Amino acid sequence: MNVNALSKPIFRSRGITLVEILLVISLLVILLSFAMPTVGNATARAELKATLENVQYSVTAARNVARMTESSVAMNIESSPAEDIQKITFSRPPESRVTQGGAQGGVPELGLQEYRLPAGIRLVSDHERFVFDPRGLVDEAGRIMLVSAADESISSALDVE
């Protein structure tokens, strides 16, 4: 057995150099720069999906209220460009506001609340108003498009038939 081989000092690391720290940080920054757009798109897609579900619910609710009350219900798409707000409201169309006496009467409460779209979502539609008859059928079919303001390639469509 060689005694000199055992007596050689073993090289020990005394810490991390500044160059090594900067290298690790720069690699992390590069990796995060690739991940950030993916996270942003995932957030926009989730918000768009939630908004699409709310618009679908609005269409279904208007259709059901028209059936239950046996009178027409209008689903209105309102835009306020000055405030950058879009909302869906509900009303009775003018032709269905006639009471049994034949005079214009008060509009019975529909029980439907307006829906304000989130700021990052734009709604584009064929019509500004969809009217559902007492059977729940829409008078004129159309399409509602939801588009993400952050990334216009992220969109969804809903056919109102």
Side-chain angles (χ1 to χ4, degrees):
M1 179 176 207
N2 187 354
V3 178
N4 289 337
L6 294 176
S7 65
K8 285 186 180 178
I10 298 174
F11 177 73
R12 298 175 103 183
S13 173
R14 297 196 189 268
I16 302 171
T17 65
L18 182 61
V19 172
E20 291 170 334
I21 292 173
L22 290 175
L23 181 66
V24 169
I25 290 174
S26 63
L27 287 174
L28 287 174
V29 167
I30 291 170
L31 289 175
L32 285 175
S33 69
F34 286 116
M36 289 306 286
T38 305
V39 172
N41 285 345
T43 303
R45 287 185 198 283
E47 185 176 35
L48 187 71
K49 183 178 178 186
T51 303
L52 180 65
E53 289 173 0
N54 286 329
V55 172
Q56 285 174 331
Y57 173 79
S58 297
V59 170
T60 303
R63 189 182 310 266
N64 289 339
V65 167
R67 286 182 191 148
M68 290 188 306
T69 60
E70 295 180 351
S71 61
S72 297
V73 173
M75 184 181 87
N76 310 301
I77 299 169
E78 299 177 8
S79 297
S80 174
E83 299 174 8
D84 197 29
I85 294 175
Q86 286 187 306
K87 60 185 175 179
I88 296 175
T89 60
F90 302 94
S91 63
R92 296 268 187 221
E95 61 273 7
S96 70
R97 293 185 182 175
V98 178
T99 60
Q100 290 179 347
Q104 290 286 338
V107 179
E109 181 62 37
L110 293 174
L112 297 170
Q113 293 183 350
E114 72 178 28
Y115 173 66
R116 289 180 182 257
L117 275 79
I121 305 291
R122 284 182 315 164
L123 189 144
V124 181
S125 177
D126 296 347
H127 311 292
E128 291 181 4
R129 170 183 279 196
F130 292 94
V131 179
F132 297 92
D133 68 10
R135 297 172 297 167
L137 303 174
V138 68
D139 64 343
E140 194 173 341
R143 175 173 272 203
I144 297 174
M145 293 278 302
L146 298 169
V147 181
S148 172
D151 183 1
E152 292 190 3
S153 67
I154 301 173
S155 65
S156 291
L158 170 67
D159 291 323
V160 181
E161 303 176 310

